[in-house]
Amino acid sequence: MDRVQGLLDFLKNSPTAFHAVENLRTMLEGAGYAPLNEGESWRVEPGRGYYVTRNRSSIIAFRLPEGSVDHFQIVASHSDSPCFKLKPTAEHDANGYAVLNVEKYGGMIMSSWFDRPLSIAGRAIVETGDGLETRLVYLDRDLAMIPSMPIHFNRDVNDGVKLNPQVDMLPVYGAEGADYLKMVAETLGIPKESIVGFDLFLVNRDAPRLWGAEGEFIASPRLDDLECAYASAKALIGAKPTGHVDVLCVFDNEEVGSGTKQGADSTFLAEVLRRVAVATGAGGQAFEAALARSMMLSADNAHAVHPNHPEKYDADNRVRMNGGVVVKFNANQKYTSDGVSQAVFEAICRESGVPVQRFANRSDIPGGSTLGNIANAHVSMITVDIGLAQLAMHSANECAGTRDISAMIDAMRAFHEAEIDIVRDGLIRLGRRNSN
Ligand code: ZN
């Protein structure tokens, strides 16, 4: 239950990608991981752990082996979730109310944002005597709501209604004249004039909670993909030291295609891995050889079969909540999993007693995509797409299985502890260090 409570606390305290990365950073520092600055030369010591952030919304952590760097075993996930972002000029008076002018970030189920308490969180750029400083901010109170139209003016509401994000989705947060930026400044304890930039988002205030006959389900905003991000940090911190470099990456901007300076489609991971190799003395072709001997788990949540719409799921490749870790397949390689990466990952899970389920979409439904194949365009290695089965993906309030979080932590930890020996193209040997 410690792991479940830990996840619920992490979700509650991570209203945005910035806060999620801050909380991951705190977890890693608590476990002895030291910060590195991308803008300086790195000096690292064998056997130690380090982390580096980019944009304060993506983070990569790694732990070095005692010996030389042979290869990397990487777990990747994402820190962002679909939501609404405040526009640069967001104050908007409407018929006596103060309304926020927001736009969509990512692809959410818009109707799930109606009629529930919301607030504002993100970062403000503050002019201080010392420079332009990023400060995280969360107005930790019920502040705003997007009211739905009454059925009396909207008789077709239960027969499918088109929502216009510029018209239907603007939240009310007070009487005309209310000043959200002043509230942000007050929360930060600074004058409003010193805020010279911001990235602020609407966040759902629903508290993460357990539900179901035996509390077997979790309801929470942002389960996709903070569940995997949290599991990856717990796994890295808990894993025994190994003979390779264990790596955690949590990327921002997966929900908008990953193509930002801090996303999976950036130089971030490739540069960190190269610098780790150089800082540990790898010369010549050692870095390329290490990459060729490396493996990645791309961890992003999966679709559990919906009890009311089983017809939307492949009859032989559907998964359920509390059924264990999901391995995701797609013939057109929207998911990276193939026979080789499946075999390695499932063998590791089997040896650790972690239950595994296999997912593929119906052939007439395209399904989603994730960050594994995008990251692979920059650092190419054997990769498997995994996740936890959930319902209501991209709703303001998602749903997952309570028992699954432990399965994911155990699977990721076993992956880090496994010695994956990619002997050559076509032969892999599996061992486990420190096993008695
Ligand atoms: Zn996701």
Side-chain angles (χ1 to χ4, degrees):
M1 269 323 267
D2 273 6
R3 287 169 158 185
V4 174
Q5 191 55 51
L7 172 66
L8 298 182
D9 292 343
F10 179 77
L11 290 162
K12 183 172 191 293
N13 296 322
S14 302
T16 71
F18 302 114
H19 293 83
V21 164
E22 181 66 14
N23 291 325
L24 292 167
R25 196 183 68 74
T26 305
M27 287 170 75
L28 290 160
E29 285 211 343
Y33 283 70
L36 293 171
N37 178 347
E38 276 203 283
E40 293 172 354
S41 262
W42 294 354
R43 264 201 294 272
V44 295
E45 290 168 30
R48 288 212 56 191
Y50 300 87
Y51 72 86
V52 55
T53 64
R54 189 180 275 192
N55 195 51
R56 294 191 62 180
S57 61
S58 294
I59 186 166
I60 298 178
F62 58 90
R63 185 175 55 192
L64 297 173
E66 289 295 344
S68 60
V69 169
D70 182 78
H71 68 276
F72 306 95
Q73 289 181 205
I74 303 169
V75 177
S77 61
H78 67 89
S79 56
D80 62 324
S81 316
C83 61
F84 292 90
K85 187 176 189 207
L86 272 64
K87 290 187 181 173
T89 301
E91 50 269 359
H92 182 90
D93 286 342
N95 291 287
Y97 303 111
V99 166
L100 291 169
N101 194 349
V102 297
E103 60 184 314
K104 287 168 71 183
Y105 173 88
M108 78 287 283
I109 302 173
M110 284 202 283
S111 61
S112 67
W113 284 77
F114 282 128
D115 308 330
R116 54 173 85 230
L118 308 171
S119 192
I120 293 172
R123 70 172 170 192
I125 315 307
V126 179
E127 194 159 30
T128 69
D130 193 32
L132 302 177
E133 196 180 297
T134 295
R135 301 256 181 94
L136 302 197
V137 63
Y138 178 28
L139 305 189
D140 192 4
R141 49 184 276 211
D142 298 335
L143 175 70
M145 191 177 279
I146 307 172
S148 54
M149 278 296 285
I151 195 165
H152 315 79
F153 301 135
N154 196 8
R155 294 286 179 194
D156 299 328
V157 66
N158 296 319
D159 301 314
V161 164
K162 205 168 160 51
L163 297 173
N164 180 330
Q166 186 63 59
V167 175
D168 296 298
M169 305 311 296
L170 307 187
V172 181
Y173 76 104
E176 198 169 76
D179 187 344
Y180 72 94
L181 206 53
K182 189 156 163 258
M183 298 160 85
V184 169
E186 279 167 8
T187 303
L188 290 170
I190 55 170
K192 181 181 158 185
E193 300 71 47
S194 59
I195 297 178
V196 291
F198 60 75
D199 296 285
L200 296 172
F201 299 88
L202 275 189
V203 299
N204 176 14
R205 293 276 298 162
D206 285 339
R209 68 194 76 184
L210 302 187
W211 61 282
E214 294 174 358
E216 61 269 70
F217 304 119
I218 301 172
S220 173
R222 299 179 293 281
L223 280 167
D224 167 19
D225 189 28
L226 292 189
E227 198 177 18
C228 289
Y230 176 78
S232 73
K234 291 295 278 184
L236 179 68
I237 289 167
K240 292 173 193 151
T242 56
H244 51 263
V245 186
D246 286 310
V247 183
L248 162 156
C249 348
V250 181
F251 293 110
D252 194 4
N253 303 128
E254 190 275 343
E255 300 294 357
V256 293
S258 297
T260 59
K261 66 186 182 299
Q262 63 276 358
D265 200 5
S266 74
T267 55
F268 192 23
L269 178 59
E271 287 175 0
V272 168
L273 298 185
R274 176 178 287 283
R275 293 177 74 166
V276 169
V278 169
T280 53
Q285 301 173 30
F287 176 61
E288 287 74 15
L291 280 190
R293 292 171 49 72
S294 295
M295 179 164 172
M296 185 189 301
L297 306 184
S298 160
D300 197 358
N301 271 358
H303 298 293
V305 62
H306 194 298
N308 301 345
H309 284 285
E311 75 282 0
K312 292 285 186 187
Y313 302 79
D314 183 272
D316 302 315
N317 298 279
R318 55 180 59 172
V319 298
R320 60 182 176 80
M321 294 183 289
N322 291 319
V325 174
V326 177
V327 184
K328 302 191 265 184
F329 297 88
N330 173 256
N332 296 310
Q333 293 295 295
K334 281 183 177 176
Y335 300 132
T336 54
S337 312
D338 57 21
V340 172
S341 60
Q342 170 195 11
V344 173
F345 180 71
E346 290 189 4
I348 290 168
C349 289
R350 204 158 45 238
E351 205 203 314
S352 325
V354 175
V356 167
Q357 328 179 64
R358 296 170 187 157
F359 175 86
N361 277 300
R362 278 181 63 101
S363 309
D364 50 3
I365 292 178
S369 61
T370 180
L371 53 82
N373 51 3
I374 293 172
N376 252 260
H378 298 270
V379 283
S380 312
M381 62 186 67
I382 292 174
T383 303
V384 59
D385 268 284
I386 63 170
L388 291 175
Q390 68 160 90
L391 290 172
M393 191 176 283
H394 292 193
S395 167
N397 206 17
E398 300 179 322
C399 173
T402 306
R403 288 197 297 279
D404 284 335
I405 183 66
S406 256
M408 184 56 96
I409 294 171
D410 290 343
M412 289 173 167
R413 182 176 163 162
F415 168 73
H416 281 310
E417 291 180 351
E419 287 295 355
I420 301 167
D421 183 6
I422 300 174
V423 181
R424 57 177 160 77
D425 196 11
L427 179 64
I428 299 172
R429 294 197 186 106
L430 283 178
R432 188 160 181 170
R433 205 169 161 103
N434 295 328
S435 59
N436 299 313

